[in-house]
Every structure is written in C-alpha cells, then in structure tokens.
Amino acid sequence: MVFAAGLGTRLQPLTNTMPKALVPVGEKPLLWHVLNKLCAAGYERVVVNVHHFAQQIIDYLNENDFGLDIRISDESEQLLETGGGVKHARQLFSDDSPVLIHNVDILSNVDFSWLARQHEDDEDALLLVSRRKTKRYLLFDNAMRLMGWKNVETGEVRSPFPWLRETEFTIDDDLHVQAPVDSPLFAVHASLNAFAFSGIHSFSPRLFPLMDRFPDRFSIIDFYLSTCHRARIVGCVKSNLRLLDVGKLDSLQQAEEFILVNG
C-alpha cells in the first residue's frame, strides 16, 4: 500500500495545484518512483489511497501502465491518516499475506524483496528503522520488539508499559536509553535502544481485529504503540540504509541528487 493521500502542506506552493504524490523528482512523480520499485521487486497488487487532488492521481494511474493491479482506496470525503487509511483499505488486500506499506514521499535504497523476507511468520508488523538522529524515536528491547516512543524535544513518552512511562530517561548520542539503575525500566529490561522510523513497514492482516476499537481516523504509529504489548511488533535495522524524506521544498534538490546516485 502506498500512502498518497496527504495534503503535502510542507511542499506548498507546489501542492496548491497538485497532490504530493505527483510532485516531480528527476522528471518523474514521486508516485512513479515507488510504483516502479514495487514492480521491480515482484509485487503484483498495490493499493494507493487518495484524498488531496484525488482525481489527478486516479487519472495519472489510468493513463500510465505500471504492470501492476492498482486499487484505489478513496478517502476523498475524509483524510483518515495512516492507521485509518490501512483500516479503510482492508477489503482491497488480496489475502492474509503481509502488506508492505510505504509513504509516497520516501526515497530509499531498500530492496523490497529483501524487506519482505525479513518479516517472520510470527511477527505481526515489521518496522524498518535506522540509527539516525531525529526528534521522535521508537524504543525497542534487545530482541527488537517495540516497547514505546519518545519525543526528545517535548519529553513526551508513549507506551502501554507503565514501567517505561514511569521512568525518567534520556537517549544518548549512540541512541541507547540511559536511566538510573534503580529505575522501573531496569527492573524489567537490561537496556533499550532508540531508532528512527523510515516510513516503510510490513503489516500483517492479523492485526485488523485490533483496529476495530479504533476510530475511522488514527495514526498507524499510535496503533502500534497501543498494541505492542499484545502483538509482536518488531524493528528491522538496515545498516547501510539511505533514505530521504521528500517532505519539504528544500529537499527536492537533494531528491534529484538521490535519484542520480541510487536510481
């Protein structure tokens, strides 16, 4: 599934007349780059959600043959965010196989067939992460199971685990969680590690029943953080990950260079 419904406000004024998904990079829309990578990796069916200038995306997909069975998840009436978008598209997925989910504004050197192989049968979701500096970190135990999230700017912590919410901790330059040895955290886990989320993840349809209690509109990260004590949600680190979030105007020039180097 490709998330292409966003308003793209950070790319204004370009997105005043077109959806973010059709903003060109290397003379091709962002959506083109993602769909071609999916096709090259052997994917056959792709769900694309639409909201902002939805008809432009629908027309573009109708006018171009990507060699894919492309299904539209229409969010024209209401933008459902990432979690709500997945929930809304539930009937468009073909079977119980994991669903690769990709933000349309992310460029990377990830081999999608490699990523699919990393998702073990007993894992409910696999989140591609990396050791890079950010404001918001996902927190994992040493087995790479998701434990929580922290915004290092505001100090906000989200987790279903009381021992993590009750611990005062910092994240050091090596992205390790630092807390007093007598803290609730160390009573449960020897250590935790912080990673940055890539916007690319693999989602098992087994998780859909847990979405039933969520509203129509919600974040997929909020969903993962609310259910990681009940479901096996893990992180996957790609050591040589090269990734660019094409979310702002000043990143478009970087994106052009990224495409030249990484294809």
Side-chain angles (χ1 to χ4, degrees):
M1 180 174 184
V2 180
F3 287 143
L7 299 176
T9 53
R10 294 180 299 163
L11 284 172
Q12 290 175 338
L14 293 176
T15 48
N16 289 339
T17 56
M18 71 173 70
K20 176 169 59 176
L22 297 186
V23 169
V25 171
E27 300 183 353
K28 296 289 186 180
L30 285 166
L31 183 58
W32 182 92
H33 292 286
V34 179
L35 292 178
N36 272 272
K37 280 195 68 175
L38 289 168
C39 184
Y43 284 82
E44 298 176 350
R45 175 182 293 190
V46 179
V47 174
V48 178
N49 70 341
V50 295
H51 173 80
H52 185 56
F53 290 115
Q55 194 59 48
Q56 287 190 34
I57 297 177
I58 293 169
D59 291 344
Y60 175 78
L61 293 174
N62 287 334
E63 293 164 4
N64 293 272
D65 182 10
F66 289 93
L68 296 163
D69 174 10
I70 298 179
R71 309 292 178 92
I72 297 295
S73 182
D74 192 349
E75 299 179 22
S76 296
E77 293 186 6
Q78 181 186 17
L79 184 60
L80 300 176
E81 297 189 42
T82 49
V86 173
K87 182 180 179 181
H88 183 70
R90 180 176 184 172
Q91 301 305 318
L92 298 176
F93 301 127
S94 57
D95 53 31
D96 293 331
S97 301
V99 178
L100 173 66
I101 301 176
H102 197 295
N103 292 355
V104 76
D105 55 0
I106 295 295
L107 299 175
S108 77
N109 66 337
V110 177
D111 179 340
F112 294 150
S113 56
W114 167 85
L115 185 64
R117 292 194 299 272
Q118 308 313 303
H119 192 150
E120 302 289 345
D121 291 341
D122 65 341
E123 295 169 347
D124 296 306
L126 181 96
L127 284 54
L128 183 66
V129 297
S130 64
R131 285 191 177 277
R132 59 185 172 86
K133 294 294 181 68
T134 183
K135 297 177 183 177
R136 296 172 292 275
Y137 288 100
L138 294 174
L139 308 173
F140 298 87
D141 66 13
N142 286 338
M144 287 305 292
R145 184 162 180 171
L146 182 64
M147 295 285 115
W149 171 98
K150 181 169 184 173
N151 184 323
V152 294
E153 260 194 356
T154 66
E156 179 187 3
V157 174
R158 298 182 193 171
S159 174
F161 301 104
W163 51 263
L164 184 53
R165 298 195 306 269
E166 295 166 4
T167 297
E168 292 288 336
F169 65 89
T170 58
I171 297 172
D172 66 20
D173 290 340
D174 294 322
L175 304 187
H176 296 135
V177 172
Q178 299 293 335
V181 293
D182 59 349
S183 70
L185 188 157
F186 282 107
V188 180
H189 283 280
S191 63
L192 293 180
N193 299 286
F195 291 93
F197 182 46
S198 68
I200 303 171
H201 43 127
S202 183
F203 173 95
S204 170
R206 290 195 302 265
L207 288 172
F208 276 124
L210 295 181
M211 286 186 167
D212 290 342
R213 65 183 179 86
F214 280 75
D216 291 341
R217 180 176 180 172
F218 61 96
S219 157
I220 193 68
I221 289 296
D222 286 349
F223 170 75
Y224 288 149
L225 291 169
S226 297
T227 57
C228 61
H229 62 311
R230 302 175 58 187
R232 188 169 178 78
I233 299 169
V234 302
C236 173
V237 181
K238 179 175 170 55
S239 58
N240 62 339
L241 177 65
R242 294 190 295 277
L243 182 141
L244 180 65
D245 179 353
V246 192
K248 298 180 181 179
L249 288 173
D250 60 7
S251 64
L252 286 176
Q253 181 59 44
Q254 294 175 266
E256 299 278 350
E257 298 168 359
F258 189 97
I259 291 297
L260 287 175
V261 173
N262 298 284

